[in-house]
Amino acid sequence: MEISVTLTGNPKTKPADASALGFGKIFTDHMFLMEYNKDEGWHNARIVPYGDLSISPASTVLHYGAEVFEGMKAYRRPDGEIQLFRPRDNFKRMNDSAERLCLPQLDGEFCLEALKKLINIDRDWVPTAEGASLYIRPFLFGNDPFLGVHTVNRCVFCIILSPSGSYYKEGVNPVKIMIETQDVRAVRGGTGYAKCGGNYAASMRAGEKAEQKGYAQVLWLDGVERKYVEEVGSMNVMFKINGTVVTPKLTGSVLPGITRRSCIALLKEWGVPVEERLVSVEELEQAVKNNTLDEAWGCGTAAVVSPIGELCVEDVPYVVNGGKIGPVTQKLYDELTGIQWGKKPDPFGWTETVK
Ligand code: PLP
Ligand code: COI
């Protein structure tokens, strides 16, 4: 499929101070769009000036939340080139999410080609400042203009780009996380493994409660027994207990994070024992009490590797590693960001240059 290009006649001023970027607040000059319907399949692929979308007030996405998305980044290398990190994994997961919501499949290779073309057009927007990157948000939504609850016939796929800094105001400093014991995010058989907007909509109440108590995000428990930890609002979670890294296994209610997968590969490469299994709150409490909870961190595209300095369980705060970043967390952060920003060799072949 051809991708048509219409350039903006009105380019925006790029932010002068990269330290003020924040996360997901500024958007580049262009976006990618294409539409789907059952007769024509995907069609009308185009890069156009960034701007509002026009949809029917009856659109499926507005009423029934038929939407999936991805989050990935483009990084500016020291040699000035731009690279992506495991982009095929993101488009593969987007198709897994779409399958769960009965949205149409995308051609991952075509999406990657469209993304590279879009980044090339907006390449001056890829930040050069330390720690900053171009956050990429592909999303796909059902757009039938009628209210019947039915699988969708019409869809829109869009990619927008946002030069971004750190996700948390804390940067790489440890964040405080609250274990949520009332609301649940997902259950097995539900949509937990899919990256769909509805999962995030349902998480806002607990997130707000945590924020009011001074916590950055919540750590979700399994939806049935409310006994095992699953993941944080925007990242997977890992604990180093007595020398072994343990992380909740992918039971269907946890997002299969690409950063999680990369951290596991790095840890195994370094000979650090890793266990993907159920991790109970009780085990974490015991580990804090025995002094064996060496480190805790979250990992995700937006959050990168984020040390957890405090875990709160039913209003009881547990400080992890004296509230400081631990050595394995630091090593993972350094190695992963080194590969992502092209400052370290990439022995796994995870990165891909945007030419
Ligand atoms: N879990 C949730 C709920 C997320 O939103 C994210 C972010 O995408 C992750 C985990 C981490 O996934 P990834 O490493 O692929 O960004
Ligand atoms: C990401 O890390 O890419 C996310 O999607 C997290 C969040 C902003 C929803």
Side-chain angles (χ1 to χ4, degrees):
M1 198 186 345
E2 281 289 303
I3 301 173
S4 74
V5 177
T6 310
L7 296 181
T8 180
N10 231 341
K12 293 178 272 192
T13 311
K14 297 180 186 67
D17 180 8
S19 63
L21 285 176
F23 175 79
K25 291 192 269 196
I26 298 164
F27 299 94
T28 66
D29 283 322
H30 298 90
M31 61 186 184
F32 174 82
L33 272 173
M34 65 179 175
E35 275 101 31
Y36 172 93
N37 65 49
K38 284 213 167 129
D39 295 332
E40 294 170 279
W42 286 109
H43 61 280
N44 200 11
R46 61 204 186 276
I47 290 171
V48 291
Y50 181 91
D52 293 349
L53 302 176
S54 170
I55 57 172
S56 160
S59 175
T60 333
V61 66
L62 298 178
H63 300 272
Y64 307 125
E67 189 261 0
V68 298
F69 68 97
E70 269 306 320
M72 55 215 280
K73 282 176 174 171
Y75 306 84
R76 178 78 69 176
R77 295 200 311 237
D79 65 2
E81 294 285 341
I82 296 164
Q83 67 184 20
L84 295 162
F85 183 75
R86 311 188 79 168
R88 288 184 175 77
D89 292 27
N90 287 92
F91 289 118
K92 161 81 175 66
R93 186 172 64 189
M94 191 153 194
N95 273 335
D96 294 342
S97 302
E99 194 276 331
R100 178 64 184 82
L101 272 82
C102 275
L103 293 169
Q105 294 289 293
L106 289 152
D107 175 343
E109 285 305 314
F110 176 75
C111 291
L112 185 53
E113 181 197 324
L115 171 62
K116 287 182 177 171
K117 199 172 168 100
L118 177 64
I119 294 174
N120 254 323
I121 290 173
D122 280 343
R123 62 187 298 130
D124 291 348
W125 284 89
V126 181
T128 48
E130 180 81 29
S133 57
L134 186 73
Y135 185 76
I136 300 161
R137 174 54 61 87
F139 60 104
L140 161 62
F141 62 90
N143 194 29
D144 281 320
F146 70 88
L147 297 180
V149 179
H150 194 273
T151 54
V152 297
N153 292 301
R154 290 195 208 175
C155 283
V156 177
F157 174 69
C158 183
I159 307 176
I160 54 176
L161 308 174
S162 173
S164 293
S166 173
Y167 183 66
Y168 293 116
K169 66 176 178 4
E170 290 88 343
V172 74
N173 293 317
V175 291
K176 291 162 70 177
I177 299 289
M178 193 181 98
I179 295 184
E180 170 60 35
T181 50
Q182 274 159 15
D183 289 357
V184 294
R185 176 186 175 275
V187 289
R188 283 179 215 173
T191 57
Y193 71 88
K195 204 162 168 64
C196 61
N199 288 345
Y200 297 80
S203 76
M204 304 283 178
R205 183 168 74 174
E208 191 173 89
K209 197 171 69 183
E211 221 174 276
Q212 279 163 3
K213 291 188 174 182
Y215 290 88
Q217 279 195 2
V218 303
L219 174 53
W220 297 104
L221 297 182
D222 75 279
V224 179
E225 296 182 74
R226 302 193 189 192
K227 195 170 152 191
Y228 302 103
V229 299
E230 298 224 302
E231 64 184 319
V232 178
S234 63
M235 49 189 195
N236 295 108
V237 72
M238 297 186 171
F239 307 93
K240 184 164 156 274
I241 303 175
N242 223 359
T244 296
V245 172
V246 294
T247 189
K249 69 174 182 181
L250 303 176
T251 50
S253 49
V254 176
L255 191 80
I258 293 156
T259 321
R260 173 188 183 277
R261 195 179 304 156
S262 309
C263 286
I264 292 172
L266 286 170
L267 291 163
K268 289 191 171 161
E269 177 79 7
W270 299 333
V272 178
V274 185
E275 291 174 5
E276 294 179 67
R277 58 166 171 80
L278 296 178
V279 184
S280 69
V281 178
E282 199 186 333
E283 177 181 357
L284 295 177
E285 282 180 305
Q286 277 307 322
V288 172
K289 287 176 187 153
N290 303 337
N291 256 333
T292 51
L293 180 57
D294 308 327
E295 298 180 46
W297 64 89
C299 54
T301 300
V304 195
V305 173
S306 183
I308 297 174
E310 184 182 313
L311 266 181
C312 177
V313 188
E314 300 274 34
D315 285 330
V316 181
Y318 292 107
V319 173
V320 185
N321 192 42
K324 293 199 273 309
I325 185 166
V328 172
T329 316
Q330 183 74 57
K331 191 172 174 193
L332 272 177
Y333 179 86
D334 292 344
E335 194 62 29
L336 199 63
T337 55
I339 295 172
Q340 288 170 332
W341 269 271
K343 294 178 181 169
K344 289 194 173 208
D346 171 20
F348 299 94
W350 285 336
T351 57
E352 185 154 341
T353 308
V354 178
K355 289 207 199 78

